Amino acid sequence: MLHIAWTAGERQSGEATLEVGAAFIFARRMNLPEQESLVAERIDGSAYVFVRLPYVSDPALVITATAGQPVVHRGQRDNGAIVEIIGPSGESTTPAPGQKISLTSSGSRIELRYPDLTLSLVVSFDLAAPAAGSGTVQLGVESLQHDDAWLVAAIAVALSPENGVVAHGDLKRAFAVWRGVEQHSDGAFDRNLLRPALASRGLEMPGPRLNKIVYLVERCRRTSEFPARLLADIRARLRVLGLDA
């Protein structure tokens, strides 16, 4: 069960409780009447907030209820809008346009700020009980499992030294051991993992002779995509798997 309390500037506020599979969606609707420039609706179990503003994307923000951690999708284009996810302890993450991020802490706040409108959300949810023998769930990194592009980036940041990046071969091996699969060839690893990880963050693909891991790690660090607590959990998991972190 997912609960969202929202406010949109001084215009309106509301709450929504969502079942698994439903979503909270903030989007543009230019056909709204001028005297009713913000409308909240419930459609097929999902909660919608529509605004009559041309610079709001359609959709700008989607929060989907899952059986585990809710997934936040930033649909808002890069037009000066600021999107920020703030955890209960104050750590902040700034998703890139098109990026999806799993919320790891109930009570997280999400803000979408425009020059004359701020959408503020407080997201509360109950985590499912950890499955027996599931070390990943117990470590609080369940969200790593659903998306290779998310997982490979998290491992890359966790394994990289403070002023550098992890070696290509070490990242390949760590990903393979985490997933319990055979190691990819260099070309397959770049094509199937590194390039999708860059693309999902809105980054242009570097040339074949440029280090994709540098681009990926620098992007994740610049936007604080992975909070320190989550990186510590990833390193602990890597050590359990017999990998240096």
Side-chain angles (χ1 to χ4, degrees):
M1 190 73 71
L2 176 66
H3 180 266
I4 296 175
W6 61 271
T7 60
E10 299 179 356
R11 300 170 184 234
Q12 198 168 333
S13 62
E15 297 186 12
T17 300
L18 305 172
E19 301 285 348
V20 172
F24 175 92
I25 300 162
F26 179 65
R28 177 185 72 248
R29 282 293 182 273
M30 293 305 292
N31 59 356
L32 293 176
E34 290 188 20
Q35 65 272 21
E36 193 177 22
S37 57
L38 186 150
V39 171
E41 296 183 358
R42 194 81 182 209
I43 304 173
D44 294 332
S46 290
Y48 291 78
V49 176
F50 297 120
V51 289
R52 191 178 187 274
L53 293 171
Y55 46 78
V56 174
S57 293
D58 184 16
L61 196 66
V62 180
I63 305 168
T64 303
T66 73
Q69 296 162 331
V71 176
V72 179
H73 171 226
R74 174 184 171 166
Q76 178 60 41
R77 61 191 181 275
D78 190 8
N79 62 349
I82 297 171
V83 182
E84 190 174 18
I85 301 172
I86 303 117
S89 60
E91 71 275 14
S92 174
T93 302
T94 305
Q99 186 178 358
K100 294 182 179 179
I101 294 179
S102 293
L103 293 181
T104 58
S105 299
S106 179
S108 293
R109 190 171 79 255
I110 303 172
E111 289 192 355
L112 178 53
R113 300 192 292 271
Y114 302 96
D116 59 351
L117 174 68
T118 295
L119 175 73
S120 182
L121 315 169
V122 177
V123 183
S124 304
F125 56 94
D126 296 321
L127 285 175
S134 175
T136 300
V137 174
Q138 292 165 3
L139 286 168
V141 290
E142 178 188 11
S143 55
L144 295 174
Q145 303 302 327
H146 77 280
D147 188 340
D148 283 352
W150 207 89
L151 174 60
V152 75
I155 293 175
V157 176
L159 286 177
S160 293
E162 186 175 349
N163 296 312
V165 297
V166 61
H168 192 276
D170 291 340
L171 180 57
K172 274 201 313 172
R173 177 171 175 267
F175 178 84
V177 171
W178 186 296
R179 282 288 195 222
V181 298
E182 294 293 325
Q183 285 193 51
H184 293 74
S185 67
D186 285 359
F189 185 72
D190 287 2
R191 181 173 58 255
N192 298 329
L193 292 168
L194 291 183
R195 284 185 174 272
L198 289 164
S200 69
R201 291 162 175 83
L203 294 174
E204 293 185 7
M205 301 301 164
R209 296 185 180 278
L210 298 177
N211 191 330
K212 300 173 186 66
I213 301 174
V214 170
Y215 278 71
L216 182 59
V217 171
E218 287 184 350
R219 164 63 178 74
C220 293
R221 284 173 170 166
R222 186 172 66 253
T223 60
S224 301
E225 180 170 335
F226 303 111
R229 179 188 57 78
L230 184 57
L231 289 174
D233 288 346
I234 295 166
R235 294 184 184 107
R237 172 65 173 163
L238 291 170
R239 286 193 293 270
V240 169
L241 294 171
L243 299 163
D244 293 331

